Amino acid sequence: MKHWARSIQVALVFIGTVVGAGFASGREVLQFFTRFGYWGPYLIIVSTMFFVWIGAKVMLLSAKLNARSYEDLNKHLFGDSAGRWVSHMMLIVLLGVNAVMLAGAGSVFSEHLNLSYQTGLIVTMFACFLLLRKGMNAILTINTFVVPLMIGFSAFLVFEMLRQPLPDQWFRAPNEQSAWAAWLSPFLYAAFNLSMSQAVLVPLGSTIGDVKILRKGAWMGGIGIGALLLAAHFALSSRMPGIAEFDIPMGGLAMELGTWLHWVYVFLIFMEIFTTLVADIYGLTLQLHERTKASPWMLTAILLLLCFLAGQFGFGTLLSTLYPMFGLLSLGWLFLIGRDNALPARPSQPPPKLPA
């Protein structure tokens, strides 16, 4: 029983790391899947297969290598010199992703809570800084609480949307975008999200270490991500194309369910954004501490400040510009880890911990 409980916890962290600002808001699902009409579900299935396969490989390789950060994994994939440069690039990309997360929190405050965008940024930064003092255990705990709620409420939202009399043109609409863009989309989405998830999946794989737990967690987590993608796609398709005008489209859907359900869902959207931000900032802090030996809390504060400055560009602008570009940069990483079969014996070193 404890073995399964640990596997479920791994799956929830996996889901919580991927299901961030872009996904929880619905904006990412629109960008990569829903805008392609009835092709959307098929593209999601392709993406889900990559989440299961590559998610497992990242965690299992990290456990075998006893990787202390994602730079160790990248050195294994690309070689010492190239791996170091790839990790430098990923630092910049991860920083951009975290800026999108923070901007997403600001949009939740401004679009659904009638508070200022800047208030959302500042409150989220402060809460993130406080929680990160608890390390990986806090990340495991908060995802164990938030992800099941998000899954349950997403299922409820989809059920409510689809049981009403709805126009179904978008479910049958042919893809009006480029066929190349459509079929590249699941690869970009999976490559981007999996490469960015390294910041959490690598230390998670090293910390857990048990192959069976990690493999089961990857399967459950990957399938869970796919199910959430399908749920969000069907719900958004039922209100296309008008719903695309919202910065937080899923929040726009929740408005139709009544005031209190709207507030509950907005809270869950915020918490999904927040958990991903916390996990990614943790991974970045761990990586930078290894490089600089500077105080982790000073590094965390600097990272959050940089995200705040980048967040001034706005959530929609950052996501639609940065995510496809980062997906293209991640395709090479996806190819290399997909073909890597060399799993060396695990060295006897202690698991990575964020220093006090």
Side-chain angles (χ1 to χ4, degrees):
M1 184 62 70
K2 186 177 180 181
H3 188 278
W4 273 102
R6 199 65 169 162
S7 297
I8 292 170
Q9 201 170 38
V10 168
L12 294 177
V13 172
F14 187 10
I15 295 170
T17 303
V18 173
V19 181
F23 181 100
S25 68
R27 176 57 54 186
E28 201 173 87
V29 181
L30 276 171
Q31 175 74 27
F32 286 94
F33 303 109
T34 304
R35 69 190 180 102
F36 296 113
Y38 78 87
W39 287 20
Y42 304 105
L43 303 179
I44 288 171
I45 290 169
V46 173
S47 197
T48 300
M49 291 167 63
F50 276 101
F51 278 115
V52 173
W53 174 35
I54 303 299
K57 290 204 75 169
V58 169
M59 289 189 281
L60 291 172
L61 264 174
S62 301
K64 292 287 184 178
L65 296 167
N66 200 24
R68 298 183 65 81
S69 68
Y70 61 80
E71 183 169 350
D72 293 337
L73 181 60
N74 286 325
K75 284 180 179 178
H76 171 77
L77 294 173
F78 298 94
D80 284 352
S81 180
R84 193 173 295 111
W85 281 105
V86 169
S87 295
H88 289 331
M89 183 193 73
M90 286 192 62
L91 280 173
I92 298 170
V93 172
L94 269 170
L95 190 60
V97 171
N98 285 322
V100 174
M101 299 295 160
L102 193 58
S107 288
V108 170
F109 273 66
S110 63
E111 195 169 82
H112 295 280
L113 301 181
N114 295 319
L115 295 170
S116 76
Y117 178 80
Q118 302 300 331
T119 299
L121 299 185
I122 293 168
V123 168
T124 307
M125 286 170 59
F126 183 71
C128 180
F129 184 83
L130 290 180
L131 189 66
L132 277 170
R133 298 185 68 85
K134 304 295 183 181
M136 180 59 79
N137 285 334
I139 296 171
L140 288 166
T141 301
I142 195 169
N143 277 286
T144 302
F145 167 71
V146 173
V147 173
L149 287 176
M150 189 70 184
I151 292 171
F153 207 87
S154 294
F156 171 75
L157 179 62
V158 173
F159 175 76
E160 286 297 313
M161 290 293 103
L162 299 183
R163 78 184 183 89
Q164 300 171 20
L166 301 169
D168 63 350
Q169 299 96 312
W170 203 262
F171 295 107
R172 297 180 285 105
N175 171 43
E176 295 181 357
Q177 311 291 328
S178 160
W180 281 104
W183 287 108
L184 185 60
S185 190
F187 293 93
L188 292 178
Y189 183 77
F192 165 68
N193 277 288
L194 285 163
S195 63
M196 294 304 99
S197 298
Q198 285 184 91
V200 177
L201 297 185
V202 169
L204 179 63
S206 294
T207 302
I208 300 295
D210 188 296
V211 171
K212 290 183 179 178
I213 290 175
L214 293 174
R215 187 171 282 121
K216 286 179 182 176
W219 270 94
M220 289 187 288
I223 292 170
I225 291 166
L228 283 172
L229 283 170
L230 282 170
H233 167 72
F234 286 129
L236 291 168
S237 294
S238 71
R239 293 295 188 270
M240 282 291 283
I243 198 66
E245 297 176 7
F246 284 83
D247 246 5
I248 310 289
M250 295 299 283
L253 293 180
M255 286 180 179
E256 300 182 23
L257 301 180
T259 302
W260 75 270
L261 284 174
H262 171 242
W263 287 114
V264 170
Y265 196 69
V266 166
F267 171 75
L268 289 176
I269 290 172
F270 172 78
M271 288 304 297
E272 278 296 347
I273 292 169
F274 180 70
T275 55
T276 305
L277 177 66
V278 167
D280 284 349
I281 290 289
Y282 172 82
L284 269 176
T285 300
L286 195 69
Q287 181 70 25
L288 288 171
H289 176 77
E290 279 201 2
R291 292 168 181 267
T292 65
K293 305 304 178 186
S295 163
W297 313 123
M298 182 184 72
L299 292 171
T300 297
I302 292 171
L303 288 170
L304 288 171
L305 179 60
L306 290 173
C307 290
F308 173 80
L309 295 174
Q312 303 306 310
F313 288 101
F315 177 57
T317 302
L318 285 172
L319 189 147
S320 59
T321 303
L322 295 180
Y323 275 27
M325 181 177 68
F326 292 162
L328 282 171
L329 292 173
S330 301
L331 281 177
W333 176 90
L334 185 71
F335 171 75
L336 281 175
I337 198 166
R339 65 190 289 272
D340 187 287
N341 294 312
L343 295 177
R346 179 186 173 102
S348 56
Q349 297 178 18
K353 294 181 180 179
L354 194 64

